[in-house]
Amino acid sequence: MLFHHLVISLLASLRLMGVLGGSVQNPFLLLPPDTHMHQQAVVNIFLDCYQAYKQFAFPHDDLTPVTKSFFDGRNGWGATVVDAMTTLAIMGQEELFIEAVDFSSKIDFNVSHTSDTVSVFETTIRYLAGLLSAYELSGQKFPALIEKAKEVANKMAFAWVPGTSPIPFMNIDFNTSIPILENSVISQAGTLSLEWFTLTKYSGNDTYRKLAEDTVRHIAQLPAPLPGLAAQGLNPSTGKSVGAFVTWGSGSDSYFEYLIKYARLTNTDDNLFADTWATAVDSSLKRLARTSTVGNHLYLADQQDDGTLRHIGSHLECFHAGNWMFGGRLLDNQTIVDTGLELNEACWNTYASTMTGIGPEIFGFFSSDGNFTGATPTAEDLAFYEKHGFFLYPQAEYYYLRPEVLESNFYAWRVTGNRTYLDRAASAINSINKFLKAPVAFAGIWNVNEADSGFIDDTESFWYAEVLKYLYLTFDDPSHINLDEWVFNTECHPFKAPTAKAVYGSGQVIDQSSFGPFKPESGPLPAVSPAVKLPARPT
């Protein structure tokens, strides 16, 4: 009955003739007196990690905090420096920021420094976005950053192959400029638009924008398993969907995230982006939204190729709560905002329920109309579920320094002004200090419900770019990086946005009958497990 009312409310508000755009951020935010203490605690964690990286891993990609060495998982271009650069700027660490700018301005992006191929998605959201956002945050003082952004984008542009489709291939051999001809997923192909649009803004070359935007247009207008919810798989050679899997989680997540963010960053008069996002939300409430039998926690199930619902959630997927708050405010749709806040409660519950106060990678739910999770819960799992309303998914009990729960908590604070979200951020900082302190710096852990499960010996650059930036900004002056003035990419690099329009979207869900029947291809999809590069757990 809950979802019946939600869907009716959403449809009623969507079908208004014209949707007035609302401001995203609450204009009356008041910070309590202990704010600076928590913010400084975040700075201390960041500097501890960054100095350890400089001592043991620079100029490589990642610090390995247990073995006190390095790992080059992003082509050896110094991912931590480039990804951390905007956090340094926002935290006011001027000396370290200038040092990072100098390093980034000298990277040779023409060749990979490892034998790995180059991920267009990861290189865009970390390197390209880091360069562009740092340029904006510096007041456009360092044009060398734009030159490097063009250099890396020009190499990635070979992922779009003439005579195939508007969908880029996922990976390229930078040493030969030849893409790897394999299937892709919508999160890889459809999460380039914010960055490539911004590069056009500063380079004057509209080809960058057109490549990325045409990709999103193509995906949005493909026949889909559910209106607005594109199938995860793509064949760049044909431009068609592969399989019928639907999720807001890994492999699809940031495609949906960018639909509404692109509408805001560009202020485009084309309603396709905002309307496709709103249609995806509408379909999600109708088909994917479920509540757990214990705790009544709201989550979005996955839909399998055969139409079966899989009742799981993930840390990666928890971005959806903040994204729905952002989009709901932009469309002035309180139903979407409230649903985002409810999704956020379920995600935070995965933190509040564990022994460490940190949430796991994947978690399972049981609903009144289904309990398929793809796993066989143990008696211990079932007992945990009966107490907390979810269970830790087998082999995914770890925390890999993910940001998404704290990201949505940040949005909840900035949108509502409810100090509960400040308390939660402070709780996360305490848990980080208590359970994630490694031999050097901080590290992920193998089981969030054990006091001493061991550390994961890799610190991905998103720890600096996302987790610590979202925590810092939660306790920062709300006028700094105001959500009505900046739009974050999926790696938490902010891009300067124009003054908001009065209206976003048409106020209508999209009738997708004109797209034709959904007839996907079959074929293998790339690995999109939540942590493809997760190092092996010591035995």
Side-chain angles (χ1 to χ4, degrees), residues 351-505:
Y351 272 54
S353 300
T354 68
M355 199 281 295
T356 62
I358 300 288
E361 186 77 0
I362 304 176
F363 31 93
F365 296 103
F366 302 138
S367 172
S368 61
D369 66 348
N371 61 7
F372 172 69
T373 64
T376 303
T378 64
E380 185 179 359
D381 293 332
L382 294 174
F384 189 92
Y385 176 84
E386 288 301 321
K387 185 175 182 180
H388 301 292
F390 74 98
F391 66 90
L392 281 66
Y393 201 84
Q395 307 303 311
E397 304 95 341
Y398 56 86
Y399 173 64
Y400 194 37
L401 304 179
R402 298 285 189 203
E404 293 79 14
V405 174
L406 297 173
E407 170 186 351
S408 287
N409 185 73
F410 162 73
Y411 276 94
W413 157 246
R414 287 284 186 98
V415 168
T416 69
N418 186 332
R419 292 188 181 182
T420 294
Y421 305 115
L422 297 179
D423 295 338
R424 290 177 177 177
S427 172
I429 294 168
N430 290 336
S431 291
I432 289 168
N433 276 316
K434 184 174 183 180
F435 294 105
L436 305 188
K437 190 72 180 76
V440 296
F442 291 73
I445 52 178
W446 287 106
N447 192 318
V448 296
N449 208 38
E450 296 178 5
D452 189 17
S453 63
F455 295 113
I456 298 172
D457 195 22
D458 183 42
T459 303
E460 284 254 24
S461 62
F462 51 68
W463 168 249
Y464 305 87
E466 299 188 72
V467 178
L468 299 179
K469 189 186 290 117
Y470 279 124
L471 280 173
Y472 180 88
L473 287 173
T474 301
F475 295 105
D476 199 19
D477 179 348
S479 67
H480 187 209
I481 317 296
N482 187 307
L483 291 178
D484 292 313
E485 299 173 0
W486 299 83
V487 174
F488 289 102
N489 91 322
T490 197
E491 193 81 359
C492 196
H493 295 303
F495 292 129
K496 188 67 175 170
T499 301
K501 299 197 308 178
V503 176
Y504 289 90

Side-chain angles (χ1 to χ4, degrees), residues 37-49:
M37 174 184 70
H38 297 307
Q39 189 179 52
Q40 187 58 49
V42 179
V43 174
N44 293 344
I45 293 168
F46 179 93
L47 292 177
D48 185 352
C49 293

Side-chain angles (χ1 to χ4, degrees), residues 42-285:
V42 179
V43 174
N44 293 344
I45 293 168
F46 179 93
L47 292 177
D48 185 352
C49 293
Y50 197 70
Q51 294 297 345
Y53 163 79
K54 288 180 64 179
Q55 180 179 354
F56 296 106
F58 178 83
H60 298 277
D61 290 336
D62 299 351
L63 168 71
T64 53
V66 177
T67 53
K68 302 179 184 178
S69 186
F70 63 86
F71 174 65
D72 280 324
R74 296 295 163 207
N75 304 99
W77 290 319
T80 289
V81 178
V82 183
D83 226 4
M85 193 158 45
T86 59
T87 308
L88 290 167
I90 286 170
M91 287 183 173
Q93 298 293 323
E94 185 173 355
E95 183 176 337
L96 289 173
F97 175 71
I98 296 299
E99 183 182 271
V101 169
D102 181 65
F103 170 82
S104 301
S105 301
K106 297 173 183 176
I107 298 172
D108 181 5
F109 285 113
N110 288 299
V111 294
S112 174
H113 296 171
T114 70
S115 61
D116 300 321
T117 57
V118 174
S119 165
V120 174
F121 164 72
E122 295 287 358
T123 303
T124 291
I125 67 171
R126 302 192 201 208
Y127 289 111
L128 180 59
L131 295 165
L132 293 168
S133 180
Y135 177 71
E136 290 196 324
L137 289 168
S138 72
Q140 303 179 26
K141 292 180 181 177
F142 302 102
L145 296 176
I146 299 300
E147 293 306 308
K148 285 297 164 184
K150 289 192 295 184
E151 180 178 290
V152 71
N154 289 344
K155 293 289 287 189
M156 287 193 287
F158 286 100
W160 284 268
V161 177
T164 54
S165 80
I167 304 298
F169 288 93
M170 285 176 44
N171 298 293
I172 308 176
D173 183 337
F174 257 35
N175 298 334
T176 63
S177 299
I178 297 174
I180 309 303
L181 305 183
E182 60 187 359
N183 287 337
S184 185
V185 291
I186 59 174
S187 68
Q188 300 266 343
T191 309
L192 313 172
S193 55
L194 301 186
E195 296 85 356
W196 290 63
F197 166 82
T198 302
L199 182 54
T200 283
K201 177 179 174 182
Y202 292 111
S203 69
N205 185 345
D206 194 51
T207 299
Y208 300 121
R209 175 204 62 81
K210 192 174 188 308
L211 284 172
E213 185 181 298
D214 285 354
T215 298
V216 178
R217 289 182 183 279
H218 183 88
I219 297 171
Q221 296 177 89
L222 282 172
L226 297 168
L229 291 169
Q232 183 174 92
L234 289 170
N235 182 346
S237 295
T238 64
K240 294 182 179 180
S241 297
V242 178
F245 182 60
V246 171
T247 180
W248 280 78
S250 178
S252 299
D253 42 13
S254 46
Y255 161 72
F256 298 117
E257 175 189 355
Y258 272 33
L259 286 170
I260 191 65
K261 287 184 173 181
Y262 191 69
R264 174 64 187 93
L265 183 64
T266 65
N267 273 352
T268 177
D269 290 326
D270 189 334
N271 292 325
L272 175 69
F273 308 97
D275 286 356
T276 302
W277 183 84
T279 304
V281 169
D282 179 56
S283 290
S284 298
L285 287 173

